[in-house]
């Protein structure tokens, strides 16, 4: 049995959210130096989502900006942050029989004690309470998620607020809070480290117990059980991707229902979620526990890409440059293995790696698995080249950023068929080798969760990575790893 982390206390320390509110208040004071006390940020909790038209709901997932500021799991609440740093929660008035079906009715006192908010009132008191605090302008979230294109949840200001002459503004909060969420505090880093560790342990259990003859769903089930039972993670951060064989070439393969066949690679992308904070980890390994030389070629290529980036990331480094470093490294290996033909500079110039790694190097990670802040107005725009246009951010890294590093190499039939049919790319592809050896290989992705520090990075991911570590773990040897700290010099 692997050495399990003890569950962190439920709920998380109230100081996490108090600190986050105070940081937002400090930005508010800078943004509105003449009259900051007239402004308050207003955030809204998520709503329950019913299953079809029934009175059953999906497991509730709190809206991330609200969760970030208040750490409260309740639907339909609202929260205001004043420029003084005061945090005021407004809870819905629930019908009496809520207590019969769902548990004790929340009251201002109980929610105040639970969250450490400065004050708690009912939603229908919002206009009067904020007016009495001298607030005139409610700053609400208005923005668009740069991965999904969906609008973020804008607080519905109660009509009474407008009726009494209060105003609403949407120009400031989205940028301010999204920027702030990119810079993790030490307290947040502790939680992220915890959820990454709990998820790593669950991955190791899957790796240890994986055998040919199982079904992909059993790999998923093993992960979910360990992440929840031992790690306290009731939710995962995204649908588990349990691909084996050719399914590994489908980036977000969702079915997880095929047999696990001897001789295949597994690509398992799974991450637990702890009070909203996400892990996002991918392990790739041979399902029978022993790499073939053919599997090793691709695995070593991706591992070197992953490791080179880990040894290069630090504040001041461009994420686009890190992406190029990764795909160039994989490209060099593919040339050496005679999968690709030509010199690496030509292949990079012709953007050939778009067919082998059709996704970005990684993304910001936090309360959302593809976290906010990737393409804010004052950040570099999305690159247009075909081998890096899928990047979820093009930012220059900074201390406190938390990112995934997840290079991959895939043999995706749709992409390869397209490349092989186009003479400008086909002349660089060894079609015989690709079709003869790798057509049904699937893919390899190696994904770690990494905190950017003052002079490098800390990798929170604690899973077997080298061929030797994976083979030993799958042969039954105990596995133990501590977080690795990288001090990286400017390249
Ligand atoms: N699990 C989704 C991703 O790696 O981005
Ligand atoms: Mn990821
Ligand atoms: Mn992932």
């Amino acid at each position: 049995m692997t050495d399990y982390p003890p569950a962190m206390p439920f709920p998380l320390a109230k100081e996490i959210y108090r600190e986050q509110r105070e940081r937002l208040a400090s930005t508010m004071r800078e943004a509105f130096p003449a009259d900051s006390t007239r402004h308050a940020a207003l955030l809204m909790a998520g709503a329950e989502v019913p299953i079809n038209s029934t009175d059953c709901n999906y497991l509730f997932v709190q809206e991330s900006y609200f969760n970030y500021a208040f750490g409260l799991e309740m639907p339909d609440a609202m929260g205001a942050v004043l420029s003084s740093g005061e945090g005021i929660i407004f809870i819905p008035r629930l019908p009496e029989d809520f207590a019969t079906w769902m548990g004790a009715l929340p009251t201002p006192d109980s929610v105040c004690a639970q969250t450490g908010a400065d004050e708690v009132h009912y939603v229908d008191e919002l206009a009067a309470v904020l007016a009495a605090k001298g607030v005139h302008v409610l700053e609400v979230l208005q923005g668009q998620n740069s991965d999904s294109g969906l609008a973020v949840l804008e607080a519905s200001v109660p009509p009474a607020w407008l009726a009494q002459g209060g105003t609403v503004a949407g120009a400031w909060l989205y940028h301010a809070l999204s920027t702030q969420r990119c810079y993790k505090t030490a307290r947040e880093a502790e939680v992220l480290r915890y959820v990454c560790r709990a998820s790593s342990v669950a991955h190791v259990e899957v790796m240890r117990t994986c055998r040919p003859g199982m079904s992909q769903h059993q790999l998923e089930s093993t992960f979910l059980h360990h992440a929840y039972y031992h790690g306290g993670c009731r939710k995962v951060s995204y649908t588990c991707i349990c691909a084996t064989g050719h399914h590994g070439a489908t980036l977000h393969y969702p079915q997880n229902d095929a047999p696990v066949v001897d001789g295949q690679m597994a690509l398992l992308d799974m991450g637990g979620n702890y009070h909203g904070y996400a892990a996002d980890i991918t392990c790739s390994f041979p399902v029978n526990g022993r790499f073939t030389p053919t599997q090793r070629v691709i695995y070593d290529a991706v591992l070197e890409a992953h490791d080179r980036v880990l040894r290069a990331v630090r504040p001041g480094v461009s994420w686009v440059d890190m992406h190029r470093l990764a795909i160039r490294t994989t490209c060099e290996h593919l040339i050496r293995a005679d999968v690709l033909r030509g010199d690496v500079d030509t292949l990079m110039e012709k953007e050939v790696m778009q067919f082998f790694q059709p996704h970005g190097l990684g993304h910001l990670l936090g309360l959302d698995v593809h976290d906010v802040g990737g393409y804010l107005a004052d950040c570099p725009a999305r690159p247009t080249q075909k081998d890096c246009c899928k990047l979820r951010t093009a930012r220059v890294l900074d201390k406190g950023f938390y990112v995934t590093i997840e290079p991959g190499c895939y043999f995706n039939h749709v992409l390869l068929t397209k490349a092989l049919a186009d003479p400008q790319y086909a002349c660089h592809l060894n079609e015989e080798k690709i079709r003869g050896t790798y057509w049904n290989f699937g893919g390899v992705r190696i994904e770690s969760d990494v905190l950017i520090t003052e002079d490098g990075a800390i990798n929170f991911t604690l899973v077997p990575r080298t061929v030797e570590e994976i083979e030993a773990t799958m042969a039954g040897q105990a596995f133990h790893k501590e977080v690795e700290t990288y001090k990286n010099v400017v390249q």
Side-chain angles (χ1 to χ4, degrees), residues 238 269 280 282 447:
Y238 50 93
D269 185 344
D280 182 10
T282 309
E447 179 174 27

Side-chain angles (χ1 to χ4, degrees), residues 76 92-106 122:
D76 303 323
R93 257 184 230 277
L94 296 167
E96 223 170 76
D97 73 345
F98 178 94
T100 308
W101 293 89
M102 306 299 286
L105 275 179
Y122 289 104

Side-chain angles (χ1 to χ4, degrees), residues 135-396:
V135 174
H136 291 260
V137 188
L138 290 178
E139 301 286 342
V140 296
L141 275 182
Q142 281 178 359
Q144 201 181 34
N145 184 292
S146 52
D147 294 309
S148 67
L150 297 173
V152 297
L153 184 67
E154 181 179 339
S156 322
V157 174
W161 176 258
L162 300 171
Q164 71 191 25
T167 61
V168 179
W172 170 75
L173 185 59
Y174 174 73
H175 186 274
L177 203 47
S178 303
T179 302
Q180 183 179 321
R181 281 177 56 184
C182 295
Y183 293 84
K184 271 59 184 181
T185 65
R187 289 186 173 102
E188 282 189 292
E190 230 178 89
V191 184
L192 289 162
R193 182 170 171 163
Y194 171 79
V195 70
C196 191
R197 181 165 175 219
S199 303
S200 296
V201 168
H203 264 280
V204 174
E205 281 306 311
V206 177
M207 199 181 275
R208 265 180 12 85
T209 53
C210 175
R211 298 281 179 276
M214 291 172 75
S215 161
Q216 292 167 350
H217 85 270
Q218 293 171 310
L219 308 180
E220 178 175 22
S221 161
T222 303
F223 179 85
L224 294 172
H225 169 67
H226 283 272
Y228 191 10
Y229 191 93
H230 298 284
C233 298
R234 188 176 192 188
K235 297 168 201 153
V236 282
S237 301
Y238 50 93
T239 305
C240 292
I241 300 163
C242 294
T244 50
H246 72 276
H247 299 299
T250 303
L251 301 180
H252 285 174
Y253 173 72
Q255 285 88 3
N256 302 346
D257 61 356
V260 172
V261 177
D262 198 10
Q264 291 178 333
M265 285 294 287
L267 184 163
L268 308 182
D269 185 344
M270 308 181 283
N273 185 290
Y274 193 78
H275 291 268
Y277 284 96
D280 182 10
I281 300 173
T282 309
C283 293
S284 299
F285 55 88
V287 300
N288 64 12
R290 303 288 301 177
F291 281 87
T292 65
T294 303
Q295 290 170 336
R296 222 187 142 137
V297 164
I298 307 303
Y299 190 83
D300 282 344
V302 179
L303 184 60
E304 192 179 356
H306 170 272
D307 289 351
R308 273 199 191 172
V309 172
L310 258 175
R311 290 192 299 266
V313 285
R314 56 177 282 143
V317 161
S318 152
W319 192 237
V320 181
D321 290 347
M322 294 297 96
H323 174 83
R324 285 195 209 286
L325 171 65
I327 59 175
R328 187 182 177 91
T329 303
T330 309
C331 186
E332 286 166 357
H333 279 256
L334 293 179
I335 293 169
R336 231 176 288 146
D338 196 30
V339 172
L340 288 178
R341 287 175 171 167
D343 69 277
V344 66
D345 289 327
T346 307
L347 293 185
M348 287 295 290
E349 205 170 303
K350 291 176 81 170
E351 301 167 2
V352 169
M353 289 307 288
Q354 68 179 286
F355 299 105
F356 293 88
Q357 191 196 301
H359 62 74
L361 171 64
H363 47 86
L364 295 157
L365 176 65
L367 278 173
D368 290 319
V369 69
H370 297 151
D371 212 17
V372 294
Y375 288 107
L376 295 174
D378 55 353
C379 298
R382 184 184 289 279
T384 52
Q385 295 90 338
K386 290 199 174 72
D387 59 356
C388 52
C389 60
K390 293 294 197 300
L391 277 166
R392 294 179 191 274
T393 185
R395 290 183 74 147
V396 171

Side-chain angles (χ1 to χ4, degrees), residues 462-473:
L462 305 173
V463 296
R465 284 305 193 204
T466 65
V467 165
E468 295 70 29
E469 282 173 337
I470 291 171
E471 291 189 344
T473 305

Side-chain angles (χ1 to χ4, degrees), residues 4-36:
Y4 283 103
M8 275 192 133
F10 298 90
L12 296 185
K14 300 174 180 104
E15 287 70 29
I16 292 183
Y17 308 104
R18 177 174 293 281
E19 184 180 6
Q20 282 157 192
R21 293 193 294 268
E22 276 168 3
R23 286 173 71 198
L24 181 63
S26 154
T27 313
M28 205 183 308
R29 292 193 294 271
E30 280 167 31
F32 309 106
D35 63 348
S36 69

